[in-house]
């Protein structure tokens, strides 16, 4: 059954849930179709509402053989928008009549008694919903009422729930009449911090670096350029520059060969963090090769499991230590903006928020993932920068129909960035349609996703989004084979996917190698290594494992570990109207 068929079936079984799902999936596309033809935001909102109302009451006319549900809805939106634009032009040209005709009463078959339901709500709740219906954001309402943002947001959610119960037919169209094309579906997101990401927790606001911090000695100069604390994790953007006493050194190996130890090796291994009452801790180092040189290492330091900064207690003080250097730095709570201030699309599995900008490189759009309940949207959004020979493009289409393809700017798929930036070169200011062909969504693998080797061939494993059948071989087949280590046993693992949705296709599986007897192989003892492998076209295709005979005897297996995830290519094209400054 296709996604559209599931939506239509849900509309019949549960009209409220079905209509909510329909609006989540296609609301962005319908709004974009209306906005291309209407300049007034209120007209756009009413047009979107009219389209979903018309479709619900006339859904029996939809014929899947003549086109997709998305195209049908967008065609309705275009026609409604054209009619509304023409009517607006006529109203502007015609003189006002001396007397106005009485307004027609609502059609009981096509309109819900929203006003009657509002009248039965407490006065304060009804007033809040009317302010939202007028287009005010939650932050604007909070300022107008002189009340905290969180208080207003929670009150609105409670009021919406009450309104649903009071409506005569219980359809979500009542909410559409009030809140079409505004940020209702995004209310579960707390705030956006441009240049950092979207925060999903009100009780854990972003903390960022108050000011750059640096120190130096004869071995190195270390500078903390940026920092972000978010939900227990701290990421430091650091530059390590070679000092006058630092030098590469050559080590002679037992077999007579030589190995060069780079100047930064020991320094990177000595990076630790002091955070509050905690002892010095080691983090993960992610090198940014694009910004590094032979005398300067650009990297991200990632520390996890940190206690949250106490709210209302002021800035957070911490210390980064490296090779005798101690560099204190300060984190402060960052001011987050409402997601409703930006263009976004949100569907069943997640979505994307877009912030256009301009720099010396020209026009750009920052893309921020909006995570769903079960899946996270990958920050790079599409595979064009990460293992796909035919990825599809991120594009901007101008009013004249010219299509401009974007390029990812300095994005490191192995890094920790919560968003990606796409550049489009020199473009004039104005309105454009941003298009993404699909989104990448991922989820952690369950602990039960364990593949024993070598006997796991043909094993069916359950994962978020579907099941995978593993194929284990000692021959690389179409996988890219690495040079084997002396005495190593090599395995090559591919998967056949059976997704539970027709709009999902397998894009990657990440696992860790270990044994039944040890939590993980040790550096000085038995060893194994597991890497993701492309095929001859460059696309992700499977996993390669090299393992010592000792590990194999102990019961080698692949398991989720700390980083195990499955990634799907979600065929949910996105279209958003953005305005380039």
């Amino acid at each position: 059954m296709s996604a559209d068929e599931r939506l239509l079936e849900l509309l019949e079984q549960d009209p409220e849930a079905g209509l909510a799902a329909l609006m989540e999936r296609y609301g962005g596309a319908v709004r974009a179709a209306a906005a291309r033809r209407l300049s007034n935001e209120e007209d756009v909102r009413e047009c979107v509402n009219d389209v979903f109302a018309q479709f619900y009451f006339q859904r029996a006319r939809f014929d899947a053989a003549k086109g997709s549900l998305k195209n049908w809805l967008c065609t309705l939106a275009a026609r409604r928008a054209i009619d509304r634009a023409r009517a607006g032009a006529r109203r502007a040209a015609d003189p006002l009549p001396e007397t106005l005709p009485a307004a027609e009463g609502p059609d009981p078959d096509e309109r819900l008694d929203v006003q009657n339901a509002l009248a039965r709500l407490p006065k304060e709740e009804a007033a809040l919903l009317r302010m939202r219906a007028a287009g005010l954001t939650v932050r604007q309402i909070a300022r107008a009422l002189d009340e905290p943002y969180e208080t207003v947001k929670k009150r609105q959610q409670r009021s919406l729930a009450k309104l649903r119960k009071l409506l005569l037919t219980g359809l979500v169209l009542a909410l559409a009449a009030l809140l079409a094309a505004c940020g209702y579906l995004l209310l579960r997101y707390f705030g956006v911090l441009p240049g950092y990401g979207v925060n999903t927790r009100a009780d854990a606001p972003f903390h960022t670096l108050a000011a750059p911090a640096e120190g130096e000695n004869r071995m190195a100069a270390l500078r903390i350029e940026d920092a972000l604390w978010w939900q227990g994790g701290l990421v430091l953007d650091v530059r390590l520059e070679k000092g006058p006493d630092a030098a590469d050194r050559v080590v002679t190996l037992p077999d007579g060969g030589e190995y060069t130890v780079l100047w930064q090796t020991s320094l990177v291994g000595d990076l630790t963090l002091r955070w509050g009452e905690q002892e010095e801790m080691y983090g993960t180092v992610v090198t940014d090769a694009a910004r590094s040189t032979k005398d300067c290492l650009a990297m991200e330091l990632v520390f996890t499991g940190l206690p949250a900064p106490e709210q209302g207690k002021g800035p957070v003080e911490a210390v980064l230590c490296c090779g005798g250097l101690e560099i204190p730095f300060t984190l402060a709570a960052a001011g987050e903006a409402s997601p409703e201030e930006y263009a976004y699309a949100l569907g069943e599995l997640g979505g994307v928020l877009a912030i256009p900008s301009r720099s010396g490189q020209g026009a750009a759009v920052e893309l921020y993932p909006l995570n769903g309940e079960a899946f996270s949207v990958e920050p790079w959004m599409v595979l064009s920068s990460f293992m796909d020979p035919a990825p599809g493009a991120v594009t901007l289409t101008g009013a004249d129909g010219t299509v401009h393809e974007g390029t990812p700017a300095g994005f490191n798929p192995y890094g920790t960035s919560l968003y990606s930036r796409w550049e489009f070169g020199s473009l004039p200011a104005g309105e454009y349609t941003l298009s993404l062909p699909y989104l990448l969504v991922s989820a952690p693998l369950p602990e039960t996703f364990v593949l024993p080797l070598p006997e796991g061939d043909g094993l069916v494993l359950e994962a978020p989004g579907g099941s995978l059948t593993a194929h284990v071989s000692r021959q690389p087949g179409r996988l890219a084979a690495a040079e084997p280590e002396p005495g190593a046993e090599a395995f090559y693992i591919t998967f056949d996917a059976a997704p539970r949705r027709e709009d999902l296709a397998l894009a990657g599986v990440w696992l860790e190698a270990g044994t039944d007897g040890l939590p993980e192989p040790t550096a000085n003892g038995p060893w194994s290594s597991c890497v993701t492998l492309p095929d001859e076209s460059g696309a992700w295709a499977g996993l390669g494992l090299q393992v010592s005979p000792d590990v194999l005897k102990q019961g080698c297996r692949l398991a989720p570990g700390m980083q195990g995830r499955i990634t799907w290519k979600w065929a949910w094209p996105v279209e958003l109207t953005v305005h380039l400054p």
Side-chain angles (χ1 to χ4, degrees):
M1 183 183 293
S2 70
D4 284 352
E5 289 172 333
R6 286 197 298 271
L7 280 173
L8 293 171
E9 184 177 286
L10 184 59
L11 271 174
E12 298 303 323
Q13 296 174 351
D14 187 341
E16 181 174 354
L19 201 49
L22 183 72
M23 294 174 68
E24 280 197 331
R25 184 172 182 84
Y26 295 125
V30 170
R31 188 187 188 288
R36 280 195 288 270
R37 295 163 177 85
L38 296 168
S39 58
N40 183 276
E41 181 63 28
E42 184 63 29
D43 286 341
V44 172
R45 284 198 294 269
E46 291 181 7
C47 182
V48 171
N49 180 59
D50 290 345
V51 166
F52 283 105
Q54 180 181 349
F55 176 79
Y56 178 78
F57 291 107
Q58 299 178 1
R59 60 191 181 280
R61 300 180 187 177
F62 171 68
D63 185 354
K66 296 181 180 179
S68 68
L69 188 52
K70 176 183 176 182
N71 289 342
W72 181 279
L73 290 168
C74 288
T75 299
L76 288 179
R79 291 173 179 170
R80 284 273 185 171
I82 291 171
D83 291 343
R84 187 173 288 272
R86 288 172 177 168
R90 286 195 298 270
R91 286 194 299 269
D94 295 342
L96 289 175
E98 293 184 8
T99 59
L100 294 175
E104 296 182 7
D107 185 340
D109 294 327
E110 296 190 4
R111 296 198 60 181
L112 299 168
D113 195 359
V114 180
Q115 294 302 324
N116 181 56
L118 284 171
R120 296 167 62 188
L121 287 175
K123 184 181 298 184
E124 298 81 11
E125 296 181 3
L128 190 153
L129 291 180
R130 288 192 174 98
M131 292 172 76
R132 286 292 283 127
L136 295 179
T137 67
V138 176
R139 289 193 183 279
Q140 290 171 332
I141 296 173
R143 286 195 293 267
L145 299 178
D146 194 23
E147 293 185 0
Y149 170 84
E150 279 300 303
T151 300
V152 174
K153 184 173 74 170
K154 291 176 181 177
R155 186 188 301 167
Q156 179 191 243
Q157 291 169 333
R158 290 195 299 267
S159 301
L160 286 171
K162 290 181 182 179
L163 183 64
R164 265 206 189 102
K165 295 177 182 178
L166 290 172
L167 291 169
L168 297 179
T169 63
L171 295 178
V172 81
L173 279 176
L175 297 183
L178 284 170
L179 306 170
C182 75
Y184 166 66
L185 297 175
L186 205 58
L187 289 177
R188 60 184 170 207
Y189 296 100
F190 175 63
V192 178
L193 191 60
Y196 293 90
V198 175
N199 188 8
T200 57
R201 285 180 50 185
D203 62 338
F206 283 142
H207 282 67
T208 57
L209 190 66
E214 57 189 341
E216 63 179 311
N217 58 20
R218 299 289 299 176
M219 290 298 296
L222 185 65
R223 177 179 172 85
I224 305 173
E225 298 191 325
D226 203 354
L228 174 67
W229 181 91
W230 180 52
Q231 297 186 21
L234 174 68
V235 179
L236 299 179
D237 187 354
V238 173
R239 294 180 69 88
L240 183 66
E241 295 185 1
K242 186 177 181 180
D245 289 353
D248 299 345
R249 56 190 177 90
V250 177
V251 177
T252 301
L253 301 175
D255 61 2
E258 293 183 340
Y259 178 77
T260 301
V261 179
L262 299 178
W263 64 269
Q264 69 266 33
T265 302
S266 61
L267 293 170
V268 170
D270 194 34
L271 284 163
T272 60
L273 176 74
R274 290 208 302 267
W275 179 269
E277 300 295 325
Q278 292 190 321
E279 299 289 333
E280 292 185 356
M281 65 190 75
Y282 290 90
T284 303
V285 178
V286 181
T287 300
D288 190 339
R291 296 191 295 135
S292 297
T293 66
K294 65 184 183 71
D295 293 332
C296 179
L297 182 66
M299 55 187 166
E300 291 178 338
L301 303 181
V302 185
F303 301 90
T304 57
L306 304 179
E310 293 187 49
Q311 295 193 54
K313 296 294 184 180
V316 178
E317 306 293 339
V319 179
L320 182 65
C321 306
C322 176
L325 286 173
E326 293 193 356
I327 304 175
F329 61 95
T330 302
L331 297 175
E336 300 168 10
S338 169
E340 300 159 12
E341 299 176 16
Y342 304 102
Y344 69 90
L346 187 62
E348 297 171 73
L349 304 184
V352 59
L353 180 145
I355 301 180
S357 63
R358 191 175 294 276
S359 67
Q361 285 71 42
V365 178
E366 294 174 357
L367 300 180
Y368 294 76
L370 302 176
N371 297 330
E373 297 297 328
F375 290 93
S376 299
V377 178
E378 295 294 348
W380 54 86
M381 305 291 170
V382 299
L383 288 166
S384 57
S385 60
F386 190 61
M387 282 188 177
D388 194 344
V394 176
T395 62
L396 285 178
T397 303
D400 61 355
T402 304
V403 178
H404 310 274
E405 185 170 335
T407 57
F411 180 74
N412 179 5
Y414 301 101
T416 59
S417 179
L418 301 179
Y419 76 103
S420 59
R421 177 181 173 88
W422 294 76
E423 294 183 346
F424 296 87
S426 180
L427 294 178
E431 193 172 89
Y432 293 80
T433 299
L434 173 72
S435 301
L436 285 74
Y438 58 85
L439 295 179
L440 290 177
V441 295
S442 67
L445 288 168
E447 293 182 0
T448 54
F449 196 100
V450 177
L451 179 64
L453 297 174
E455 63 270 20
D457 187 63
L459 186 64
V460 177
L461 298 165
E462 293 297 323
S467 62
L468 303 180
T469 302
H471 301 287
V472 180
S473 174
R474 293 181 183 269
Q475 301 299 321
R478 63 191 179 91
L479 298 181
E483 189 70 25
E485 294 284 343
E489 298 276 356
F491 295 94
Y492 299 92
I493 299 95
T494 58
F495 296 97
D496 288 335
R500 297 189 186 93
R501 301 169 52 109
E502 293 185 3
D503 54 359
L504 293 181
L506 185 63
V509 178
W510 282 261
L511 292 166
E512 296 179 13
T515 67
D516 291 337
L518 296 173
E520 59 185 35
T522 59
N524 298 321
W527 58 268
S528 61
S529 62
C530 180
V531 296
T532 62
L533 294 176
D535 60 18
E536 61 275 1
S537 71
W540 182 92
L543 300 170
L545 178 73
Q546 291 196 27
V547 58
S548 73
D550 289 338
V551 167
L552 199 58
K553 290 177 184 177
Q554 296 180 54
C556 186
R557 83 287 188 266
L558 295 180
M562 295 293 294
Q563 304 296 326
R565 298 184 72 80
I566 184 169
T567 300
W568 300 93
K569 193 174 181 178
W570 177 29
W572 187 69
V574 172
E575 281 196 356
L576 288 173
T577 301
V578 297
H579 186 85
L580 288 180

